[in-house]
Amino acid sequence: MTPLIGAIVTLGMLVVIPMGLRLLGVRAWPFLAGALPGALSLWLPRGPFAVALAVCYGLATLYLAFHALPRLRRPDPVQLAAATALATPSVAALSLIAERGGYHLLGYTPHMLALTVAHFHFAGFAAALVAGLVGRQARSGAAALTVPAGTLLVLGGYFVGDWAELAGSVVLTAGMWWVGWLAWRSFRGVFLLTGAVLLASMLLALSWAVGQATGLPHPSMELMIATHGVGNAFGFALCAVAALRRLDPL
């Protein structure tokens, strides 16, 4: 795992998710008990010890997934967005365990698995959480659903192929732009920055997905990490979750 990806994932594990759990009404300390060794595993060489630390993180994400289950019983878009936020770190944890062991999970290389870890902390947890909060504030159930739907379509695209992943990227991009606009309209302030970041970073994501599906020129993976990845982690997820902490929990 490269230092930049490690820094992005560490931010997700130790800052964004614990801050977001307060907005979900979920205690953060049981999660942090597993997140701390999980974050340490990012900075160690691949091997059994790093895998053992990553398994601790996997257990922490199961704690989050357990809290997602009651929300799935409610046919409410906001609660479904919250459930998506709580469930998607488990996908990241499974990818992390395989990556720390150097395994090719479902045919994906450890480098691609490292990107999956980052993706499901930010496009998974953070984006779904913000979509649920903003959707509730703006009274837009559709906005609350678009980001979780796009995230799950992208996940499905990993198994189906590049065109399915492109479809998920289109839905996710549209959903995040919509949520960004609603957030700016409702809260102003820092959401001018997050909206600008989303506009640029999701255009990059869409161009990459189009290129992967069609063979057209598209940004390199290294450029995507340095722009799309850094922008979404710091300019969107961190700023948005921090700005929304004054709201009542979902």
Side-chain angles (χ1 to χ4, degrees), residues 72-83:
L72 294 174
R73 302 192 190 107
R74 310 177 198 174
D76 173 65
V78 171
Q79 292 304 321
L80 289 175

Side-chain angles (χ1 to χ4, degrees), residues 38 80 112 163 179:
L80 289 175
M112 288 301 297
W163 284 100
V179 168

Side-chain angles (χ1 to χ4, degrees), residues 183-198:
W184 177 79
R185 191 182 69 174
S186 299
F187 302 107
R188 305 287 172 167
V190 73
F191 287 99
L192 180 60
L193 169 64
T194 60
V197 169
L198 283 177

Side-chain angles (χ1 to χ4, degrees), residues 32-54:
L32 281 169
L36 288 168
L40 177 60
S41 77
L42 302 171
W43 303 99
L44 297 176
R46 291 187 181 122
F49 185 51
V51 170
L53 294 175

Side-chain angles (χ1 to χ4, degrees), residues 48-116:
F49 185 51
V51 170
L53 294 175
V55 168
C56 294
Y57 186 61
L59 295 175
T61 64
L62 291 180
Y63 163 75
L64 301 187
F66 174 78
H67 283 278
L69 295 176
R71 299 171 188 267
L72 294 174
R73 302 192 190 107
R74 310 177 198 174
D76 173 65
V78 171
Q79 292 304 321
L80 289 175
T84 302
L86 289 165
T88 47
S90 298
V91 179
L94 180 61
S95 300
L96 178 65
I97 292 167
E99 191 276 338
R100 292 290 74 200
Y103 304 124
H104 286 62
L105 181 65
L106 300 174
Y108 288 99
T109 66
H111 182 63
M112 288 301 297
L113 292 173
L115 298 177
T116 302

